Amino acid sequence: MNLELEGKSAVVTGASRGIGLGIARALAAEGCRVVIVGRDEGALRSAVAAIGRGDVTPFVGDVTEAAANEALAAFVRDRFGALDVLVGNVGGNRRGRFLDTTEDDWEAVLDLNLRSHLRSVRSLVPLMPTGSAITFVASIFGREAGGPGLSIYNTTKSAIISFAKILALELADRGVRVNSVAPGSIRFPGGSWDRRCVEDPEGMAAFVAANLPMGRFGSVEEVADVVAFLSSPRAAWVNGACLNVDGLQSRSLI
Ligand SMILES: NC(=O)c1ccc[n+]([C@@H]2O[C@H](COP(=O)([O-])OP(=O)(O)OC[C@H]3O[C@@H](n4cnc5c(N)ncnc54)[C@H](OP(=O)(O)O)[C@@H]3O)[C@@H](O)[C@H]2O)c1
C-alpha cells in the first residue's frame, strides 16, 4: 500500500530514542520530511544518523514548556510553511502507590504526558491544513487498569485518549484527524522493559508468560507502522479512534 506520505511534513515529539525514533524512521522511509524533537542535542544528532536516510531535522526543546512549542511552530513554519503530520509521542512514568506519590510526581507526569501535548497542539494546529493528522502515543493503561503503582500513568494516559477524542470532534470540520494508539509493553535496547529483562530475567519471563499471550514483547517497528498508517491519507476514515497495538496484552472488550 502506498501511504501517500511522500513530501509531507511531520513533527514527532520525543524522537531521539525508542518508539518516537521508530516512528520518525517509519515516516522518513515513507518520504516525509521529519522534525524530531527532544531535549538532548547529541541524542537527536545520533538519532538522525541512526535513521540514516531521508529528510530528518533535529529540534532541541522541552515540550512541557509553552515557549518551546511556540519556537517549534516558528521553526516548522520557516522550514515547511505548513504541517501535515503531528505525532505526540513524549511520555513517561513515575511508579508508586498513590499514597507514596508526591505533588511533584503528579505535576511532572501531568506535564509530560498531558500538558506537553496540549501545548504542542495549541502551537502547531494553526499550521495544519485540511487532510493533516495528529496521533498521540497513549498506552493500553489509558484504556484499562494497569494495576497498583500506576495511578499517575493510568490517569494521564486516559486523559490523553479523552483529549484526542474531543479534539477530533472539534477539528473535524477543518479536516484534521486526531487519533491515539495504545501500545502494550514494547521492548527495545536501552528501554525500560529491556532494563528490567536484563536485571531480572526470570521475573520478566514470568511476566511474559502471564501477560503477553503471543509470548513476547512488542517492537518499536510494530507501533511505528500503525502510527505511520494513521498519519497517512489512507486512514482518512479513522478519526477519534484509539487503536491497541499490544499483541492481545490488554483485556478490555472495547
Ligand atoms: N515502552 C513501552 O513499553 C511503552 C508502552 C506503552 C506506551 N508507551 C508510550 O510511548 C511513548 C514513548 O515511550 P518510550 O518507551 O519510547 O520512551 P523513552 O525511551 O523514555 O523515550 C522518550 C523520548 O522522549 C524524549 N523526551 C522526554 N521528555 C521530553 C521533553 N520534556 N521534551 C522533549 N522530549 C522529551 C526523550 O529524549 P530526551 O530525554 O533526550 O529529551 C526520548 O527521545 C511514551 O508516551 C510512553 O508512555 C511506551
Side-chain angles (χ1 to χ4, degrees):
M1 181 190 289
N2 177 355
L3 293 184
E4 300 169 15
L5 283 169
E6 185 73 42
K8 303 275 187 196
S9 55
V11 164
V12 185
T13 67
S16 62
R17 60 174 185 267
I19 293 172
L21 172 57
I23 293 167
R25 181 183 279 119
L27 292 173
E30 293 299 320
C32 282
R33 299 167 295 159
V34 188
V35 174
I36 59 172
V37 185
R39 293 166 301 175
D40 183 316
E41 185 169 7
L44 286 170
R45 295 213 173 278
S46 301
V48 172
I51 292 171
R53 63 191 272 197
D55 182 343
V56 183
T57 313
F59 180 89
V60 181
D62 178 341
V63 292
T64 63
E65 294 172 1
N69 285 291
E70 284 161 22
L72 173 61
F75 182 81
V76 168
R77 191 182 306 110
D78 288 351
R79 193 168 178 82
F80 304 131
L83 182 66
D84 301 302
V85 172
L86 170 61
V87 181
N89 167 73
V90 285
N93 187 19
R94 290 196 188 180
R95 238 171 223 274
R97 288 181 171 260
F98 172 70
L99 292 179
D100 297 324
T101 61
T102 63
E103 285 291 316
D104 178 65
D105 291 331
W106 278 86
E107 284 305 308
V109 184
L110 276 163
D111 264 350
L112 189 60
N113 290 4
L114 180 61
R115 292 190 192 110
S116 66
H117 301 300
L118 312 185
R119 289 170 181 148
S120 297
V121 163
R122 194 170 275 129
S123 298
L124 291 166
V125 160
L127 300 178
M128 300 187 78
T130 295
S132 56
I134 301 171
T135 307
F136 298 110
V137 179
S139 165
I140 55 171
F141 295 151
R143 307 195 72 185
E144 65 180 42
L150 286 174
S151 63
I152 308 182
Y153 191 72
N154 239 117
T155 301
T156 54
K157 290 298 186 180
S158 294
I160 193 63
I161 293 169
S162 295
F163 175 64
K165 186 75 164 191
I166 300 301
L167 190 65
L169 288 165
E170 293 185 2
L171 298 182
D173 62 355
R174 292 171 62 148
V176 179
R177 292 179 301 109
V178 188
N179 293 292
S180 55
V181 292
S185 300
I186 305 300
R187 184 176 177 181
F188 56 88
S192 57
W193 288 109
D194 194 52
R195 269 197 305 279
R196 292 170 77 177
C197 288
V198 171
E199 285 163 10
D200 179 15
E202 278 178 22
M204 282 294 105
F207 171 85
V208 171
N211 294 287
L212 305 181
M214 296 182 76
R216 65 170 178 86
F217 288 90
S219 73
V220 159
E221 291 74 21
E222 286 164 334
V223 178
D225 286 349
V226 175
V227 174
F229 168 69
L230 286 175
S231 302
S232 81
R234 303 309 294 269
W237 205 234
V238 186
N239 199 0
C242 179
L243 296 193
N244 285 341
V245 192
D246 71 343
L248 204 53
Q249 182 178 357
S250 59
R251 302 297 156 98
S252 170
L253 292 173
I254 55 170

